[in-house]
Amino acid sequence: MAKRIQFSRTGDPEVLEYVDGDPGEPRAGEVRVKNHAVGLNFIDIYFRTGLYPAPSLPSGLGTEGAGVVDAVGEGVTHLQPGDRVAYAQGPLGAYAELHVLPAEKVVVLPDGIDFETAAASMLKGLTTQYLLRQVHRVEPGETILFHAAAGGVGSIACQWARALGVKLIGTVGSAEKAELAVSNGAWATIDYTRENVVERVRELTDGAMVPVVYDSVGKDTWETSLDCLQKRGLMVSFGNSSGAVEGVNIGILNQKGSLFATRPSLNGYADTRERFEAMCRDLFGVLENGQVKVDIAQRFPLEKAGEAQQALASRKTTGSTVLLP
């Protein structure tokens, strides 16, 4: 039997259970991965609390991990037992020693990328890829605003933006996080606990404001983000760490300058095998050439998943966090 984290009801971290669970043999088109490291993400908390409903209960948790292929199902040709692999999508259940998922969601890892780096960067790195290279394809010299710049996605975005010649203004919650964001490549930072974000963006851009805002915070920053945009600017709301954005009158986009808004997701962009592989190649390229380095600032044993989520939700973490089976 293999160990896994599951929850039978939604709620606080205490609902997470560390139990024995047999994932079974992979069916046609599936693979079974023996996880060496598992990624921790805010979306995991959304499922645990019920903001995003799990397909059924009890349910596994997590969608991101890295390890070695343990078994393959019928019809799988691009993977074989022993392959070093990583994944960021698929059914819930990555918080486990063994995980069965569709082979099309699994990619072979280059030799130069270790398991912990892969588990810490697949979802966050692919998210950064679609944000900076697809939702709004940033250009050299462009100035952008990125909330939570010292977090997992933000830390990667700061580095990737710098590599692309982009001026990233990052919001942070402390002087320590500001220092981290700058060390990762942020052009400037704004400490929202003591600075007015809109006024500082106006100062930093000489009144021009920014063409795009990347916002993973949600409810608490929605209005602020809109006020930082140029006319016809793009609001990219890709997370809900402070709660979901609700009750929005779409007319506000007109009132604030004929703005655009989108609520993207990884599944919406990595929606075919070809697109998924192309995004992975882009991510692996910046990891291998050193333009992006993943800061794994926290490691928790798998059985401490609840503590790890609590630390993430309370914004006590920086960089990325991994769970170790």
Side-chain angles (χ1 to χ4, degrees):
M1 297 294 284
K3 291 291 188 180
R4 78 167 193 158
I5 296 290
Q6 70 174 31
F7 62 106
S8 300
R9 56 188 175 87
T10 58
D12 293 333
E14 290 73 21
V15 303
L16 299 182
E17 307 167 295
Y18 185 58
V19 300
D20 290 321
D22 181 5
E25 295 296 319
R27 296 174 295 183
E30 294 181 334
V31 295
R32 188 172 65 204
V33 178
K34 182 178 181 181
N35 286 326
H36 286 230
V38 175
L40 179 76
N41 298 285
F42 251 104
I43 193 171
D44 306 338
I45 297 174
Y46 301 159
F47 277 110
R48 189 205 74 216
T49 60
L51 178 62
Y52 292 175
S56 62
L57 294 176
S59 173
L61 196 59
T63 61
E64 178 185 44
V68 175
V69 173
D70 178 68
V72 301
E74 182 182 353
V76 176
T77 58
H78 70 286
L79 297 170
Q80 60 185 4
D83 282 348
R84 300 174 66 255
V85 296
Y87 56 90
Q89 300 168 280
L92 297 177
Y95 282 28
E97 293 176 343
L98 295 174
H99 186 35
V100 173
L101 70 163
E104 65 177 12
K105 302 296 187 183
V106 180
V107 65
V108 174
L109 270 182
D111 292 338
I113 300 176
D114 62 76
F115 293 125
E116 289 191 11
T117 297
S121 65
M122 281 294 288
L123 193 147
K124 301 174 188 69
L126 292 177
T127 296
T128 304
Q129 196 281 340
Y130 78 70
L131 291 175
L132 299 184
R133 311 309 291 146
Q134 298 189 70
V135 175
H136 173 87
R137 192 172 180 86
V138 296
E139 299 293 340
E142 198 168 40
T143 303
I144 65 175
L145 180 65
F146 207 104
H147 287 293
V153 176
S155 294
I156 294 174
C158 286
Q159 297 175 73
W160 208 329
R162 175 175 58 185
L164 293 168
V166 173
K167 296 178 178 180
L168 184 149
I169 302 171
T171 68
V172 294
S174 68
E176 293 76 18
K177 290 189 175 184
E179 184 178 346
L180 176 61
V182 170
S183 70
N184 279 327
W187 174 68
T189 60
I190 302 171
D191 185 343
Y192 60 80
T193 66
R194 60 182 183 83
E195 297 178 285
N196 182 290
V197 174
V198 178
E199 290 180 4
R200 282 294 291 144
V201 169
R202 184 173 288 110
E203 292 171 4
L204 290 165
T205 62
D206 294 326
M209 310 310 279
V210 296
V212 60
V213 175
Y214 296 102
D215 189 335
S216 63
V217 179
K219 180 178 64 175
D220 289 355
T221 51
W222 171 257
E223 289 271 357
T224 294
S225 293
L226 295 181
D227 288 337
C228 290
L229 285 167
Q230 301 170 356
K231 286 185 177 180
R232 299 174 298 281
L234 175 62
M235 168 62 175
V236 184
S237 178
F238 69 100
N240 318 286
S241 64
S242 68
V245 178
E246 297 177 339
V248 174
N249 178 354
I250 197 169
I252 197 173
L253 300 178
N254 171 42
Q255 296 164 17
K256 292 184 179 293
S258 296
L259 304 177
F260 295 85
T262 183
R263 180 59 173 88
S265 69
L266 178 57
N267 287 338
Y269 279 83
D271 56 342
T272 67
R273 179 71 193 179
E274 292 73 24
R275 289 175 68 94
F276 173 56
E277 289 182 339
M279 292 169 68
C280 287
R281 285 194 298 271
D282 207 5
L283 172 61
F284 294 159
V286 295
L287 289 174
E288 289 188 293
N289 66 20
Q291 290 178 319
V292 171
K293 297 181 180 179
V294 179
D295 174 27
I296 303 174
Q298 298 83 210
R299 294 172 174 83
F300 289 83
L302 180 61
E303 60 266 30
K304 301 291 186 182
E307 292 182 20
Q309 288 192 357
Q310 204 160 20
L312 180 63
S314 61
R315 301 187 182 184
K316 293 180 180 178
T317 64
T318 58
S320 297
T321 303
V322 294
L323 304 175
L324 302 176

